[in-house]
Amino acid sequence: MTRLDQPTVALSDDVRMPLLGFGTWQATGEQGYEAVLAALDAGYRHIDTATMYGNEAEVGRAVRESGLRREDVFVTTKLPPDRVGRERETIEQSLRALGLDQVDLWLIHWPPSAGSESVPVWRELLAARDAGLTRAVGVSNYDTTRLDELTEATGEAPAVNQIKWSPSLYDRQRHREHRDRGIVLEGYSPFKSTDLADPVLTRIAAAHDVSPAQVVLRWHVDHEIVVIPKSVTPDRIRANADIFSFSLTAEEMRDIDALGR
């Protein structure tokens, strides 16, 4: 299976990102390596890591040892806030740890503490992309005002903004703001703030003979929001990947949307 066999979203003319990804926060050491290998075996073709996670070496080892072609796995990593001013050094260290010539997406993990520092950091990410160290660049944990600041200063909007997202956090206006700007919304922690016993989710899950967790992930995908569930449990890793045999109706989507503010 290639990453194009799954639903994807365009970041540019030649870069497409799978809507389902595998998160690796807290998946470190041998357990992290085994989890990523299990995810790739289960069909994930998008792996999300970060310098702060301390597992880039394990992620890269799993990608290399999976038997998959490099071009069939989309790899994201992120610049930590304490590396402002050392952007090029950091991406080069990440590539060495991953054992890759380039990543598919590099994100600013958190806005720098001084708001004015975001623009120079963003310029460094654009330079890394132009140098071929990453295929696309974006941000994480940015509000709309900060997104606009980067775009206005450089003429280039982030390809992606990775933020906490779930049915209970659904914000129609924020979703629209990303779409209007051509910025892909990527959600993390899809289950952390979700009540999987909510009657709306259990009813919809029963209608499709799937779990409420699978409904939550499918809801993201049907909204064309990238989602990156994380787990180190093989059974759960496989279940979270098994969301392409059903889709939600327009009415079900509206019912789940209504769980948000």
Side-chain angles (χ1 to χ4, degrees), residues 81-253:
D82 63 357
R83 296 295 183 95
V84 170
R86 294 186 288 160
E87 294 85 3
R88 181 60 66 92
E89 173 190 346
T90 301
I91 186 64
E92 290 174 349
Q93 288 174 347
S94 288
L95 292 174
R96 284 195 295 273
L98 288 161
L100 302 176
D101 294 328
Q102 67 173 187
V103 289
D104 298 284
L105 179 64
W106 192 31
L107 305 178
I108 302 174
H109 203 154
W110 290 89
S113 54
S116 60
E117 292 182 337
S118 267
V119 170
V121 175
W122 180 236
R123 292 189 193 280
E124 288 297 322
L125 264 72
L126 294 172
R129 181 202 61 192
D130 293 344
L133 301 177
T134 180
R135 299 174 69 218
V137 288
V139 297
S140 182
N141 300 298
Y142 272 60
D143 60 25
T144 303
T145 299
R146 284 189 165 119
L147 293 173
D148 288 344
E149 178 187 38
L150 300 183
T151 306
E152 290 164 7
T154 64
E156 292 209 47
V160 172
N161 185 25
Q162 185 184 113
I163 58 178
K164 187 178 291 187
W165 199 260
S166 69
S168 66
L169 298 176
Y170 184 66
D171 183 332
R172 188 181 307 278
Q173 177 62 30
R174 196 168 191 198
H175 189 193
R176 184 183 302 115
E177 288 170 352
H178 283 77
R179 283 200 312 268
D180 290 348
R181 289 159 175 77
I183 298 171
V184 171
L185 196 162
E186 179 177 10
Y188 67 81
S189 298
F191 306 132
K192 194 166 187 180
S193 60
T194 299
D195 177 7
L196 293 176
D198 186 283
V200 170
L201 297 177
T202 57
R203 169 177 55 80
I204 294 171
H208 294 279
D209 194 24
V210 297
S211 71
Q214 289 169 316
V215 168
V216 168
L217 298 177
R218 186 71 214 198
W219 171 80
H220 284 76
V221 168
D222 285 352
H223 264 312
E224 293 195 328
I225 294 171
V226 179
V227 62
I228 48 171
K230 66 183 183 69
S231 177
V232 294
T233 306
D235 287 348
R236 188 164 297 172
I237 289 170
R238 286 191 293 271
N240 288 344
D242 186 18
I243 61 168
F244 299 114
S245 61
F246 73 102
S247 60
L248 302 175
T249 67
E251 182 180 3
E252 289 169 340
M253 292 291 287

